[in-house]
Amino acid sequence: MRRITSGFALVAAVAAALATAVSPVSAAAPPAPAAASAMTWTLLGDGPSGTVRVGGGPLSNPYTGDTATTSSLPLLCLRIDGSPVPAGITPDFYAGWARGTVAATSPIRGTRLTSRAIADQVCANSLGAGWRMAEFHDGRYGPNLAYSGGWSYYAHGDVPLGTRFWTAINDQPSNPWS
C-alpha cells in the first residue's frame, strides 16, 4: 500500500505544478508597450508684418512628449534666411525671432520620422531646398540675436490655426525618433 500512496502523492504534486504553470495569469500575453510620445507645437497667434508666433502652448510637453507617434500630424518646418527682426517684435528667451519663415507639411505619421535627417528631408521634399524641421530652440534673442531661447518664437509665414505640428527638440528625448 505504501507504494500506491507515494505514487498518488507524486501524481498529485505533478498535477499541482502543471496547474500552476498553465494558469490564466501566467498564460496571459504580456501587455503591449505604451505608444511613444513626441513633442508638438501649434500656432499661438499672428504677429506683426506677416509673422506668426509658434510654440508649445499648454498642451506641449518637451520632456516626455505630448502626442502618440502613431498620430499623423504636419511637421513644422523652418527656412532660416537671416531675416531681420520686424518692427513690433522684441525677442526674448520665451519668444525669440527665428530669422526666417515657418511652414507646415502635409500630415505624416510620427513613426515614419525615424531620425532628424528623415524629418529634415520631409521638409525639403515638401517645401524646397533650405527647409528643415523646426526645433524648440530656433528662437533667438539678445544683442545681434546671439542667444537661443525656447518655448516659442516668431517667424514669417502662415501655418494653420488649431493644428498641432511635430517639432524637434535637441536636448530632450521627446522627438518622434527618440
Side-chain angles (χ1 to χ4, degrees), residues 3-20:
R3 287 188 183 161
I4 293 174
T5 306
S6 296
F8 282 125
L10 180 59
V11 169
V14 169
L18 287 174
T20 306

Side-chain angles (χ1 to χ4, degrees), residues 111-146:
T111 55
R112 295 189 60 202
L113 303 172
T114 57
S115 70
R116 176 66 189 259
I118 296 289
D120 289 346
Q121 192 62 52
V122 169
C123 288
N125 288 348
S126 298
L127 301 164
W131 287 89
R132 64 162 173 82
M133 187 176 193
E135 200 272 335
F136 181 92
H137 301 95
D138 279 329
R140 309 293 293 190
Y141 71 101
N144 299 315
L145 302 175

